[in-house]
Amino acid sequence: MAELKIRRLGYALGAEVTGVDLRQPLDDGTVAALREAWMEHLVLVLPGQDITPEQHVAFSRRFGQLDPNDATPYYRHPEHPEVLVVSNKPVNGKPSETRNTGRNWHSDLSYTGRPAMGSLLLCKERPDVGGDTMFANQYLAYETLSPRMRAFIDSLEAVHDVTLVKGIEQRSPELVAEIKRINPPIAHPVVRIHPESGRAALFVSQRVRHFVGLSDEESEPILRFLTRHAVRDEFVYRHRWTVNDLVMWDNRATMHVALADFDQSKPRHMLRCSIQGEPLGYVYQGDDSAAAAKPEATHRSVVASVS
Ligand code: OGA
Ligand code: MN
């Protein structure tokens, strides 16, 4: 078994893990130790991993089934469909459609019925300065709300809408139409019970349109408060990339944002595998009456009664 060295990187979340070489197959004990560290720190940084897409896929698979990238088929790696290319390098002479990926705070694939459990992002090229990624701990975001606010949001559902992905309007109109067709608005619980830790985490983001059963006018100030609160400085770890860093995060308890503060003429090239999450939420039909009529059926109580 590999002897992992774990060093905390942030107060709220994040740890560096060394002593493991992802070019080699890992034994079960090492994977279990990594998973434990991952669940504790939520974001793990594994530096110096000069791995091939095959090795990236093989490592990611140790943590669950890979997301097939059906929600975003157009960004797949040409030879490895499980790998998404997040890059500003032109493709066939045209600007890359992923050059502005992740520019608002989000949890991966929250605009689908299977938000990603985790994501593993590998840095292959980076600009000299800037282009960091920030992560925020959503357990802390939930736990620092007042008891009254927690009681209010425990039963709330939020409508996640892919058209709120920042920069989507810069993509080609045909692509945007396809993205919208594949990903209709979807309602998710605002508070998620993490299936491994049993802890509650806030699950809102800048990709939320409004709350089910509340008018837009009612939703707006609450949403503004929650999305700001969720990413308070003291909940955040900011990662400055080095080439061959593999960073893995738990999307069920964190959000992240990719900062645009770098020279866009310089390459930034990243590869991502996502671990498939559990089915969650439902396609939102625009009819609030059903949810509004059953305020007692909270996700917390539903989850608590089956777990
Ligand atoms: C992602 C993403 C962050 C980045 O790949 O899910 O949001 O820094 N990217 O590129
Ligand atoms: Mn992302």
Side-chain angles (χ1 to χ4, degrees), residues 64-75:
Q65 209 167 328
L66 296 195
D67 187 280
N69 294 324
D70 288 343
T72 51
Y74 13 83
Y75 313 142

Side-chain angles (χ1 to χ4, degrees), residues 180-198:
K180 282 163 78 168
R181 190 186 64 73
I182 302 177
N183 301 292
I186 187 134
H188 285 307
V190 167
V191 180
R192 280 177 91 175
I193 305 302
H194 194 288
E196 295 181 57
S197 67

Side-chain angles (χ1 to χ4, degrees), residues 18-284:
T18 50
V20 62
D21 178 355
L22 304 187
R23 291 170 306 184
Q24 314 293 337
L26 300 180
D27 59 83
D28 292 347
T30 302
V31 173
L34 279 166
R35 187 165 191 114
E36 199 182 316
W38 193 17
M39 294 304 104
E40 180 181 348
H41 299 287
L42 304 179
V43 175
L44 294 185
V45 177
L46 286 70
Q49 303 295 344
D50 187 5
I51 53 176
T52 64
E54 287 87 353
Q55 290 162 339
H56 187 177
V57 166
F59 176 65
S60 303
R61 277 220 175 98
R62 299 302 302 272
F63 299 96
Q65 209 167 328
L66 296 195
D67 187 280
N69 294 324
D70 288 343
T72 51
Y74 13 83
Y75 313 142
R76 284 185 178 127
H77 189 292
E79 285 114 52
H80 304 278
E82 311 91 334
V83 177
L84 280 193
V85 181
V86 177
S87 177
N88 63 359
K89 289 163 81 162
V91 183
N92 303 325
K94 289 202 232 128
S96 155
E97 298 281 10
T98 56
R99 67 189 182 285
N100 54 16
T101 287
R103 291 283 187 262
N104 51 4
W105 280 100
H106 66 281
S107 176
D108 290 327
L109 302 180
S110 81
Y111 51 80
T112 77
R114 286 194 93 152
M117 172 257 148
S119 300
L120 299 93
L121 189 65
L122 178 68
C123 176
K124 295 316 293 181
E125 290 177 71
R126 49 149 282 185
D128 286 343
V129 289
D132 295 356
T133 306
M134 300 203 293
F135 299 88
N137 182 331
Q138 297 307 292
Y139 291 139
L140 290 181
Y142 179 75
E143 289 160 5
T144 50
L145 293 168
S146 64
R148 278 291 175 115
M149 180 56 104
R150 292 203 299 263
F152 173 63
I153 66 171
D154 277 347
S155 61
L156 219 47
E157 294 170 324
V159 177
H160 294 242
D161 187 337
V162 75
T163 62
L164 295 175
V165 169
K166 194 172 174 190
I168 196 167
E169 68 289 344
Q170 292 164 16
R171 295 175 200 175
S172 70
E174 302 76 38
L175 181 61
V176 173
E178 180 68 357
I179 292 172
K180 282 163 78 168
R181 190 186 64 73
I182 302 177
N183 301 292
I186 187 134
H188 285 307
V190 167
V191 180
R192 280 177 91 175
I193 305 302
H194 194 288
E196 295 181 57
S197 67
R199 285 170 79 185
L202 190 60
F203 191 54
V204 293
S205 77
Q206 294 176 331
R207 296 174 177 179
V208 165
R209 168 96 42 211
H210 70 104
F211 299 107
V212 176
L214 297 190
S215 67
D216 287 356
E217 241 183 329
E218 290 169 327
S219 295
E220 197 266 337
I222 302 165
L223 190 54
R224 181 159 29 107
F225 164 70
L226 287 176
T227 51
R228 283 189 190 164
H229 170 79
V231 300
R232 270 163 51 175
D233 295 353
E234 57 270 38
F235 308 151
V236 168
Y237 164 66
R238 178 168 177 157
H239 186 64
R240 173 141 207 260
W241 292 92
T242 299
V243 169
N244 293 326
D245 279 349
L246 181 88
V247 175
M248 50 200 282
W249 59 89
D250 183 338
N251 280 298
R252 301 165 299 183
T254 65
M255 288 205 287
H256 59 281
V257 64
L259 301 180
D261 62 342
F262 65 99
D263 179 352
Q264 302 292 329
S265 70
K266 298 288 186 316
R268 183 178 188 275
H269 192 76
M270 322 283 275
L271 300 174
R272 182 181 109 193
C273 288
S274 296
I275 316 283
Q276 191 160 53
E278 297 302 316
L280 189 74
Y282 57 91
V283 174
Y284 177 69

